[in-house]
Amino acid sequence: MNPTVTPAPGLLLPTADLPPSFKWGVATSSYQIEGAVAEDGRTPSIWDTFCRVPGAVVGGDNGDVACDHYHRMPQDVALIKSLGVDTYRFSVAWPRVQPGGKGPANEAGLAFYDRLTDELLAQGIDPWVTLYHWDLPQELEEAGGWPNRDTAYRFADYSMLVFDRLSDRVDNWTTLNEPWCSAWLGYFVGVHAPGRKNFGDAMAAVHHLLLGHGLATQRMRAAAPREMKFGITLNMGTADPATDTQADRDAARRADGMGTRIYLDPLRKGQYPADMVEDLAARGTAFPVQDGDLEIISTPFEVLGVNFYFGQDFSGTDEQGNSTDADGLPVVRAILPPGPRTAMDWPITADRFTRLLVRLSRDYPGLPMVITENGAAFDDTADAEGNVADEDRTAYLAAHIAAVADAREQGADVRGYFAWSLMDNFEWAEGYAKRFGIVHVDYNTQVRTPKQSALWFRDTISRVRGD
Ligand code: FCB
């Protein structure tokens, strides 16, 4: 059972402080919605493979059909239009555009994103392209995956195939979505594709993801026919010490280092944080930096995409009070803050969102931010027509949009907000059991029904714009 959060009346329209120019959007990603995994020349990605591993995904679910968006794209764009948003963030499936991860473009794959772009523009919706939202071609994983340096160059080549096709119409380009998830969850914890569990591999993946971002950004910018906005999306939380002990403060520093600073320091300051380099050395590994890499990684970009779901506290001791684990490594134990949780068991911590945004603008100044994802899964109950009275999700969105407005008031340069997600979809290792959509999807019929939160979002946008 989820504790239900009832929106306080003042929170329902929390937007008086956001300007009419603020950009509003909804977000999705390719593997989570498209389906059609074997059509028009698409080859398997690491997620197609991972979904076949027994026990890897709840319910044995996979993205074979998902929301069938590949076949329902025009209706889905009409749905997006009905929400009154300015922009739509979608990702391009690498194995659709460049099957196997190498060589020439697959025309049929590119043509889908071409049609999607045209459809969006015809409806007055600005396309926001993410080039990599986790669907690495399986062949590239077999050649070593992200721990292999060559993957960074392959990514830049693939990015140019998409860029050459869409840059006459698309202005917003995000290279990577959440490299922390790709590296940490995919190569160290093993709960995401490709399901490997090796710390050194994960740190090599971090470096090569960042290198791929830098290479792709440089090449796209050099080829850009006009001024464009390039960027990267990171998922970030806040890492607070559970108590004021030195051990807890160290644990929070380490968590922040692993989640935020090992990405933003090289991207914005051209170096990995010294304390993290030391921690890696203590674990017998290092970022595989070659001459010139950090210049490439720190190539300037225009927008930082921020994905926020929740903040955590950290303790430097385990439940028994030990400060090192079985391998002699310092304990970094996450503790969920008290209070209501979502269906993911994630705490609801809107005030920490404000704190994160203000901190980012202080520590990494001069970088406009856009919230590229924020939202919540709840155990929705739909009536016979698919209507969902999701007060809990509405309250979550209201509180977090208010948190963005607060951060702006405190000086954070946040220019837009995308709700995650347009519609219920394949939630990775959680399968279809977790619903993040502001639009309900009946997976038997593929009928989409806007939830109460979608209607609230639409009304909020129109109120801020002063329509
Ligand atoms: C983020 C992912 C997105 C979605 C949300 C809930 O980590 O970028 O695809 O699964 O979490």
Side-chain angles (χ1 to χ4, degrees):
M1 273 290 291
N2 292 304
T4 305
V5 194
T6 309
L11 276 183
L12 273 172
L13 293 168
T15 47
D17 303 325
L18 292 169
S21 61
F22 193 77
K23 296 289 179 220
W24 299 92
V26 283
T28 62
S29 88
S30 46
Y31 190 67
Q32 294 181 277
I33 65 165
E34 285 178 359
V37 290
E39 265 173 69
D40 293 337
R42 182 189 180 278
T43 53
S45 77
I46 53 175
W47 272 95
D48 298 271
T49 307
F50 188 67
C51 288
R52 262 87 201 154
V53 175
V57 174
V58 171
D61 291 348
N62 60 55
D64 287 5
V65 177
C67 304
D68 196 32
H69 170 70
Y70 193 75
H71 299 120
R72 292 163 195 266
M73 182 272 285
Q75 298 94 296
D76 285 340
V77 173
L79 174 66
I80 296 165
K81 171 78 179 166
S82 77
L83 300 175
V85 294
D86 303 292
T87 171
Y88 172 53
R89 174 177 180 247
F90 61 93
S91 80
V92 174
W94 186 345
R96 237 183 241 300
V97 163
Q98 192 188 37
K102 278 195 177 134
N106 169 36
E107 171 52 31
L110 269 182
F112 173 71
Y113 299 104
D114 202 72
R115 292 195 302 276
L116 170 57
T117 299
D118 280 347
E119 193 72 35
L120 289 166
L121 291 171
Q123 300 281 1
I125 300 161
D126 200 15
W128 183 297
V129 171
T130 299
L131 288 161
Y132 184 75
H133 200 126
W134 308 351
D135 34 11
L136 185 72
Q138 179 62 28
E139 285 84 348
L140 294 186
E141 172 57 21
E142 275 149 33
W146 285 109
N148 177 11
R149 186 176 174 91
D150 187 55
T151 302
Y153 295 89
R154 300 279 68 77
F155 173 68
D157 283 355
Y158 147 72
S159 297
M160 288 310 294
L161 297 178
V162 182
F163 191 77
D164 285 344
R165 182 61 170 258
L166 301 183
S167 59
D168 58 336
R169 284 154 292 156
V170 171
D171 289 327
N172 301 295
W173 295 89
T174 297
T175 52
L176 306 175
N177 177 69
E178 303 190 351
W180 178 87
C181 291
S182 298
W184 188 260
L185 300 181
Y187 289 96
F188 178 51
V189 187
V191 295
H192 276 192
R196 279 154 69 177
K197 295 183 182 172
N198 181 293
F199 183 74
D201 284 351
M203 296 302 103
V206 169
H207 185 66
H208 298 141
L209 283 154
L210 290 172
L211 184 63
H213 154 82
L215 290 166
T217 303
Q218 289 188 344
R219 286 182 57 187
M220 291 191 291
R221 192 189 302 288
R226 61 188 180 283
E227 214 175 283
M228 293 189 170
K229 291 202 169 23
F230 297 103
I232 184 169
T233 278
L234 304 178
N235 57 310
M236 289 174 287
T238 47
D240 293 308
T243 72
D244 205 31
T245 61
Q246 186 61 41
D248 288 1
R249 280 189 275 132
D250 275 344
R253 171 182 59 75
R254 290 196 162 95
D256 179 65
M258 210 34 105
T260 297
R261 291 183 289 117
I262 62 166
Y263 298 98
L264 277 174
D265 279 20
L267 286 166
R268 293 296 288 172
K269 303 177 178 171
Q271 55 184 33
Y272 284 105
D275 61 322
M276 299 311 291
V277 171
E278 241 176 68
D279 271 13
L280 262 61
R283 298 179 73 162
T285 191
F287 296 110
V289 180
Q290 295 188 9
D291 277 358
D293 284 3
L294 287 160
E295 286 70 40
I296 295 169
I297 290 171
S298 60
T299 191
F301 60 92
E302 284 75 24
V303 191
L304 175 63
V306 177
N307 291 359
F308 178 85
Y309 290 93
F310 61 100
Q312 286 169 291
D313 297 331
F314 287 89
S315 166
T317 51
D318 66 15
E319 267 137 19
Q320 287 72 46
N322 306 307
S323 55
T324 50
D325 67 12
D327 299 319
L329 298 169
V331 168
V332 179
R333 178 165 61 99
I335 298 176
L336 298 183
R341 306 263 176 96
T342 71
M344 297 290 279
D345 209 26
W346 293 348
I348 299 173
T349 58
D351 52 327
R352 297 184 192 215
F353 191 16
T354 303
R355 198 140 54 70
L356 169 71
L357 295 169
V358 172
R359 176 265 173 126
L360 291 173
S361 66
R362 185 196 64 215
D363 290 355
Y364 304 96
L367 187 55
M369 293 179 273
V370 164
I371 310 310
T372 38
E373 285 180 28
N374 175 245
F378 288 102
D379 291 331
D380 298 331
T381 32
D383 70 14
E385 280 81 50
N387 296 306
V388 177
D390 56 343
E391 292 219 338
D392 36 19
R393 187 173 291 101
T394 306
Y396 181 98
L397 295 174
H400 287 76
I401 293 168
V404 172
D406 286 349
R408 283 174 49 96
E409 225 169 274
Q410 295 175 48
D413 184 5
V414 186
R415 303 193 179 176
Y417 176 96
F418 288 84
W420 183 271
S421 180
L422 164 65
M423 57 185 159
D424 295 333
N425 57 49
F426 175 74
E427 177 46 36
W428 308 113
E430 302 295 332
Y432 295 98
K434 298 288 182 267
R435 293 175 176 269
F436 274 91
I438 60 172
V439 172
H440 176 262
V441 176
D442 179 329
Y443 293 113
N444 294 317
T445 60
Q446 292 293 352
V447 169
R448 283 89 157 112
T449 312
K451 302 177 191 175
Q452 184 206 75
S453 55
L455 306 177
W456 173 86
F457 194 56
R458 179 197 66 192
D459 293 348
T460 299
I461 295 169
S462 109
R463 181 171 172 275
V464 174
R465 275 209 209 108
D467 294 350

